[in-house]
């Protein structure tokens, strides 16, 4: 955070020994991805604060007579913003009111909710990020999550296996389901040149509508067939809770962290990961060097699909216990923003997933205790990524200098591939 | 710095647009803010906080979220001690945390909207046995949960009978938003009503778009919001000869109103869920009637009873008998519906209530 404070103190330095020094320092700051990310977050929170103020009825009614008593509006706005962001913090990190009860749920509830929300976002973010690294734009997270959740859920409620084995089989089923769904798009690109943006989006529709159909089929749909909801997953196939049954945080978090480590290893230590990165950096060079670009496409989409499938697994075996039509819960698309914020590397994606998970968990509390629409949180998430994709905007707002291009430009090569 | 300056300029210039009034002399903004937020209730011991957890779609979905919250605000208007508030869900992932947040808030009762929330409500109710819950579109899942369901097949039956009696072409159409039971139950009822009319009158009125014996078939817009799709489907049914259309698709059904409007009075529409002349008044001249679902009324009654200290328990099933479903007034068509048909409808209604007519829709609440 000291780096954030630096630009303001660096502004007026007229009589300094070296007049070029502050400019150089500001350029260095402007090129520093961590600084730009933090500043993007700050800028997004400022815009979010304005939205909170405008969504507050007291502020709006006071603004009707702004010129006769301007302080009323400002006071109401400040109070609304303060209450809103305090609730956001209480929902995501620590809530003194519930903690005072002294129960585990009261003290760790907010953190648990943050981790629960972060788990599928991390997995989905890894999926999108990995495809980015090979120059592919995986918009198919939704379909892959649905495919993974459907397979894992079906094994979870239709098969009855012993403890541990059931869970493992269900997880593997989810990975296979998601992996095949992803690999299909990769294979189509490798064999026919069909653009992965188009095929993954279309496969989303196929998966979602196929699930819609399954939810009306006996054996899948839950008796007495009154709602579009599946049977309940067996207790044996559920991911165990980590902090007792009163908190929702579950072993899916370990799956996410394990996956993050595996992707980190894959990209930095393995031949396969090197091939992916080479194809992503320059596919012609990779081909000249003797790599099979086509095989890389299929493989990277297979692994990306497995990761999204795991996100579906945590959704159905961890967070929810039955499949409904929106089992993907928008994670497939939020994962794109997570991957962009995390700069498509494993560690960054984990941090980005945690941040967005915290915003999501906090948004629930904010909505409940202050009546602020939860959409404000979605706007803040989108703005963070927008500011990161356009670092020049952030530099302009905070008067930094820099030379580098936006994060998105480096990542979105799939459009030209 | 710059960002703050920029933000202040943007904010201030936006405020200028609406800031020319003068301060109301009696109001104190601090006291109104709590009530508007719906959370500051500690000051008054008699306040009854009624908190609603909405399903996806938002509070202004022109469908069950909106109807449910309308019930809450109606109750609050009649009894100022009731403090209504709501949270909305963006996906099913939000159900459990929303319910938990509302429990932590200390609500007097929590009303969940939508049958898909059933599992989450059951878990929350079991974990908090002293907390009162109610759920719209689901049956009770615990001693502290009040279930509210609606057998709209009965209302749909009357709509089908009416349509069969009013059609000049011998064909009526219906279509839905999605092939899910809360939608198809209306279509089942409508279909059965037409068949009943055919049986008793020896007629052969056809239903386009739905056949109860083929629950997988039927015409659906796959959307509750896309009016253009609704217009296309309705126009296709009119093209095939239907002169009465019954869309069961929330806002997408407005497309049927547009088709009726451009037909120059040849096509009539039966609206769904609410009285169309109130919720979609622009097409009121084309609404023969509406098949209603009494969500607003039943939520209102539940909250009003609960606020008086008597929490209803068990299940409520909205029927023709208790007004939980039925036909809305004919409005502009009142003079055009023959008196004999009106009395027949009353007889059919009485027969459904007495059990003389059995409705076979598989989607009915048990």
């Amino acid at each position: 955070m000291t780096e954030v404070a630096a630009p303001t103190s660096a502004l007026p330095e007229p009589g300094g020994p070296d007049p070029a020094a502050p400019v150089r320092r500001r350029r260095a700051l402007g090129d520093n991805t961590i600084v730009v990310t933090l500043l993007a977050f700050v800028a997004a929170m400022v815009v979010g604060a304005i939205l909170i103020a405008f969504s507050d009825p007291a502020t709006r009614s006071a603004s009707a007579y702004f010129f006769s008593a301007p302080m009323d509006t400002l006071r109401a706005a400040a109070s609304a913003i303060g209450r809103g962001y305090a609730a956001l913090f209480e929902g995501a990190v620590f809530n003194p009111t519930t903690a005072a009860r002294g129960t585990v749920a009261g003290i760790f509830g907010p953190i648990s909710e943050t981790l629960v929300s972060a788990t599928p976002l991390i997995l989905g973010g890894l999926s999108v990020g990995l495809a980015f690294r090979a120059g592919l734009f995986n918009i198919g997270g939704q379909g892959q999550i649905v495919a993974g959740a459907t397979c894992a859920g079906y094994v979870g409620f239709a098969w009855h296996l012993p403890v541990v084995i059931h869970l493992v089989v269900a997880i593997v089923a989810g990975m296979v389901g998601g992996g095949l769904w992803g690999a299909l798009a990769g294979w189509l690109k490798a064999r026919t040149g069909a653009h992965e943006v188009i095929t993954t989006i279309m496969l989303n529709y196929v998966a979602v509508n196929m699930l819609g159909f399954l939810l009306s089929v006996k054996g899948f749909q839950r008796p007495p067939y009154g709602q579009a909801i599946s049977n309940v997953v067996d207790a044996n196939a559920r991911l165990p809770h980590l902090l007792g049954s009163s908190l929702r945080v579950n072993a899916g978090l370990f799956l996410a962290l394990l996956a993050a480590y595996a992707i980190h290893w894959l990209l930095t230590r393995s031949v396969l990961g090197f091939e992916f990165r080479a194809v992503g950096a320059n596919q012609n060079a990779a081909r000249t060097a003797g790599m099979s670009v086509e095989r890389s496409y299929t493989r990277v989409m297979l692994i990306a699909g497995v990761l999204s499938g795991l996100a579906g697994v945590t959704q159905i075996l961890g967070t929810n216990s039955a499949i409904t039509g929106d089992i993907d819960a928008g994670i497939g698309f939020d994962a794109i923003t997570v991957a962009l914020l995390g700069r498509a590397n494993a560690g960054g994606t984990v941090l980005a997933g945690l941040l967005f998970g915290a915003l999501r968990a906090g948004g629930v509390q904010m909505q409940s205790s202050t009546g602020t629409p939860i959409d404000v949180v979605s706007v803040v998430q989108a703005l963070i990524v927008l500011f990161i994709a356009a670092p020049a905007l952030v530099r302009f707002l905070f008067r930094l200098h820099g030379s580098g291009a936006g994060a998105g430009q480096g990542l979105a090569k799939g459009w030209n591939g | 710095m710059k960002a703050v300056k920029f933000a202040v300029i943007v904010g201030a210039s936006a405020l200028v647009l609406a800031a020319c009034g003068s301060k109301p002399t009696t109001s104190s903004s601090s006291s109104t803010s709590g009530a508007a937020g719906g959370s500051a209730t500690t000051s008054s011991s008699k306040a009854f906080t009624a908190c609603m957890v909405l399903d996806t779609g938002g509070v202004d979905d022109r469908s069950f979220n909106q109807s449910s919250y309308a019930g809450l605000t109606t109750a609050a208007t009649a009894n100022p001690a009731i403090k209504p508030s709501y949270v909305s869900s963006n996906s099913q992932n939000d159900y459990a945390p929303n319910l938990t947040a509302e429990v932590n808030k200390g609500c007097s009762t929590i009303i969940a909207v939508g049958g898909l929330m059933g599992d989450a409500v059951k878990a929350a109710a079991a974990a908090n046995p002293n907390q009162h819950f109610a759920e719209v579109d689901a049956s009770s899942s615990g001693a502290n949960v009040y279930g509210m369901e609606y057998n709209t097949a009965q209302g749909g039956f009357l709509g089908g009978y009416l349509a069969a009696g009013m059609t000049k072409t011998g064909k009526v159409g219906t279509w839905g938003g999605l092939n899910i039971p809360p939608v198809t139950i209306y279509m089942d009822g409508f279909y059965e009503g037409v068949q009943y009319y055919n049986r008793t009158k020896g007629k052969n009125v056809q239903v386009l778009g739905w056949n109860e014996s083929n629950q997988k078939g039927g015409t659906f817009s796959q959307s509750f919001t896309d009016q253009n799709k609704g217009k296309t489907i309705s126009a296709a049914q009119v093209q095939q000869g239907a002169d009465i259309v019954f869309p069961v698709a929330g806002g997408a059904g407005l497309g049927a109103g547009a088709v009726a409007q451009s037909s120059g009075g040849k096509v009539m529409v039966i609206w769904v869920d609410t009285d169309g002349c109130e919720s979609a008044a622009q097409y009121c001249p084309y609404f023969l009637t509406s098949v209603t679902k009494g969500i607003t009324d039943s939520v209102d009654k539940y909250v009003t009873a609960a606020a008086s200290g008597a929490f209803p328990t068990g299940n409520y099933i909205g029927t023709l008998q208790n007004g939980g479903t039925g036909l809305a007034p004919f409005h502009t068509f009142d003079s055009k519906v023959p008196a004999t048909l009106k009395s027949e409808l009353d007889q059919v209604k009485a027969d459904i209530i007495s059990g003389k007519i059995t409705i076979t829709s598989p989607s009915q609440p048990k």
Side-chain angles (χ1 to χ4, degrees):
Chain A
M1 289 305 284
T2 49
E3 285 168 305
V4 183
T8 40
S9 64
L11 283 180
E13 264 186 315
D18 177 8
V23 174
R24 213 182 298 134
R25 207 183 313 155
R26 272 158 30 199
R27 176 168 298 148
L29 282 171
D31 281 339
N32 184 326
T33 54
I34 295 172
V35 171
V36 170
T37 305
L38 283 173
L39 292 180
F41 180 70
V42 171
M45 292 295 272
V46 169
V47 179
I50 296 171
L51 290 178
I52 291 175
F54 273 104
S55 72
D56 178 53
T59 310
R60 278 208 308 273
S61 57
S63 72
Y65 53 86
F66 182 76
F67 286 120
S68 60
M71 284 316 288
D72 272 18
T73 306
L74 297 180
R75 211 177 296 122
S79 146
I81 295 165
R83 277 183 292 123
Y85 280 147
L88 192 72
F89 180 82
E90 285 170 4
V93 184
F94 183 76
N95 185 344
T97 319
T98 55
R101 292 178 203 154
T103 57
V104 179
I107 298 166
F108 296 109
I111 288 285
S112 161
E113 285 304 313
T114 293
L115 295 175
V116 166
S117 304
T119 300
L121 289 173
I122 292 171
L123 286 162
L126 290 170
S127 165
V128 176
L130 179 69
F132 273 150
R133 297 298 285 269
L136 297 182
F137 216 147
N138 180 17
I139 316 288
Q142 185 189 25
Q144 291 148 23
I145 289 169
V146 166
T150 306
C151 294
Y154 182 77
V155 168
F157 64 70
W159 297 4
H160 304 287
L161 303 171
V163 173
V164 181
I165 298 173
H166 198 175
L167 177 60
V168 172
V169 173
I171 291 173
V172 170
M175 293 165 75
V176 169
L180 289 178
W181 213 252
L184 185 54
W187 180 79
L188 282 170
K189 184 176 179 78
R191 287 301 293 268
T192 69
H195 203 293
E196 79 281 357
V197 169
I198 315 259
T199 52
T200 51
I201 291 176
M202 293 306 132
L203 284 170
N204 285 346
Y205 285 113
V206 176
V208 168
N209 285 301
M210 206 189 266
L211 175 60
F213 168 73
L214 283 173
L215 287 173
S216 66
V217 172
K218 293 197 176 169
F220 201 94
Q221 193 186 5
R222 184 192 306 180
Y225 312 108
Q227 297 283 352
I229 189 166
S230 79
N231 284 308
V232 179
V233 171
D234 278 7
N236 280 356
R238 302 255 184 95
L239 288 160
H241 286 223
L242 298 180
L243 292 172
S245 61
S246 59
L247 292 176
R248 301 201 300 157
V249 62
N250 56 64
L253 181 65
F254 292 142
L255 283 181
L257 295 178
L258 212 62
Y261 181 76
I263 294 304
H264 173 73
W265 181 87
L266 177 83
L267 284 172
T268 55
R269 295 271 178 276
S270 73
V271 176
L272 188 64
F274 179 75
E275 278 188 21
F276 289 167
R277 286 189 290 137
V279 169
N282 186 334
Q283 51 165 306
N284 295 324
R287 191 175 279 118
T288 310
M291 299 173 191
S292 167
V293 174
E294 285 71 26
R295 207 169 52 210
S296 292
Y297 284 154
T298 312
R299 285 179 176 177
V300 78
M301 283 306 291
L302 173 74
I303 300 175
V306 166
L307 289 166
S308 283
L310 273 175
V313 163
T314 64
Q315 275 287 95
I316 183 62
L317 304 182
T319 314
N320 302 287
S321 56
I323 306 172
T324 62
D326 70 344
I327 188 72
D328 68 288
I331 291 159
F333 293 102
D334 283 357
I336 300 170
T337 55
V338 171
L340 283 168
L341 179 58
R343 314 270 167 162
N345 70 55
T349 302
V350 171
L351 293 177
L354 285 172
L355 174 66
F356 279 18
L359 284 172
R360 214 166 241 233
V364 168
Q365 179 69 28
M366 186 166 78
Q367 182 178 228
S368 169
S369 62
T370 69
T372 307
I374 201 165
D375 308 294
V376 168
V377 165
S378 311
V379 173
V380 168
Q381 288 180 355
L383 285 173
I384 292 173
V385 175
L386 189 77
F387 283 126
I388 286 170
L393 189 60
V394 174
R395 287 190 209 109
F396 166 74
L397 287 173
F398 293 90
R399 308 194 65 177
L400 297 172
H401 297 269
S403 51
Q409 292 173 23
L411 296 168
K413 282 188 177 157
W415 282 106
N416 307 318
Chain B
M1 284 288 282
K2 189 85 175 185
V4 175
K5 257 188 256 169
F6 183 68
V8 169
I9 290 165
V10 169
S13 55
L15 284 167
V16 164
L17 297 173
C20 300
S22 60
K23 183 175 182 173
T25 44
T26 50
S27 102
S28 105
S29 64
S30 60
S31 74
T32 49
S33 70
S39 58
T41 54
T42 44
S43 55
S44 163
S45 59
K46 285 187 73 184
F48 182 87
T49 45
C51 309
M52 187 165 267
V53 180
L54 300 175
D55 207 338
T56 55
V59 72
D60 48 0
D61 65 346
R62 290 182 181 236
S63 183
F64 66 155
N65 284 329
Q66 190 168 1
S67 307
S68 304
Y69 194 61
L72 208 50
T73 49
T74 309
T77 314
N79 179 358
I82 298 174
K83 304 292 178 209
S85 70
Y86 70 86
V87 294
S88 42
S89 307
N90 277 340
S91 76
Q92 63 166 3
N93 275 12
D94 293 345
Y95 296 162
N98 272 339
L99 289 165
T100 309
E102 297 291 72
V103 169
N104 286 336
K105 197 166 120 183
C107 298
S108 308
T109 183
I110 298 170
I111 302 152
V113 179
L116 294 178
M117 220 180 290
D119 290 342
V121 171
K122 191 176 176 182
N128 304 282
N130 296 321
Q131 171 74 52
H132 290 282
F133 289 91
E135 190 173 11
V136 173
D137 263 348
S139 58
S140 169
S141 56
N144 52 341
V145 184
Y146 181 62
M148 287 179 270
E149 293 182 286
Y150 309 88
N151 192 349
T152 48
Q154 297 186 345
F157 194 101
L158 294 183
Y161 192 91
L162 171 70
M166 290 294 287
T167 177
K168 293 191 180 71
T169 58
K171 282 181 184 169
V172 295
T174 181
W175 54 273
L178 273 180
N179 190 344
I180 54 174
V183 168
T184 55
I185 182 173
Y186 280 105
M187 299 163 78
D188 283 343
F190 184 82
Y191 179 86
E192 288 180 45
V194 173
Q195 307 312 313
Y196 181 77
Y197 181 90
N198 287 343
R199 258 200 319 280
T200 50
K201 300 274 180 180
K203 293 275 173 54
N204 186 24
V205 176
Q206 286 180 15
V207 179
L208 305 176
W210 186 245
N211 181 340
E212 188 183 313
S213 56
N214 178 15
Q215 293 278 331
K216 293 272 170 285
T219 305
F220 295 92
S221 58
Q222 308 298 338
S223 164
F224 290 98
T225 52
D226 189 342
Q227 295 183 28
N228 277 327
K229 257 182 187 164
K231 198 172 168 180
T232 313
I233 293 174
S234 305
Q237 295 192 332
V238 169
Q239 190 80 38
Q240 293 168 57
D243 61 349
I244 297 175
V245 179
F246 178 44
V248 190
L254 293 172
V259 169
Q261 192 172 35
S262 60
S263 77
K266 288 198 196 86
V267 175
M268 294 173 276
V269 173
I270 297 179
W271 192 244
V272 73
D273 281 336
T274 54
D275 185 342
C277 282
E278 288 165 13
S279 56
Q282 70 272 34
Y283 295 126
C284 185
Y286 316 103
F287 288 145
L288 174 56
T289 182
S290 309
V291 179
T292 58
K293 181 172 180 177
I295 295 182
T296 304
D297 189 47
S298 54
V299 170
D300 177 9
K301 278 181 184 148
Y302 166 75
V303 177
T304 304
S308 71
F311 283 90
T313 53
N315 281 312
Y316 164 91
I317 292 184
T319 59
L320 288 177
Q321 191 169 12
N322 60 22
T325 180
L327 289 188
F330 299 117
H331 293 288
T332 52
F333 283 91
D334 199 39
S335 57
K336 293 170 198 156
V337 178
T340 49
L341 186 56
K342 281 181 185 164
S343 63
E344 283 170 30
L345 279 171
D346 287 339
Q347 187 56 46
V348 170
K349 181 176 172 182
D351 287 349
I352 293 174
I353 292 172
S354 71
K356 213 167 142 194
I357 296 175
T358 353
I359 294 178
T360 54
S361 167
S363 305
Q364 295 178 90
K366 313 239 164 19

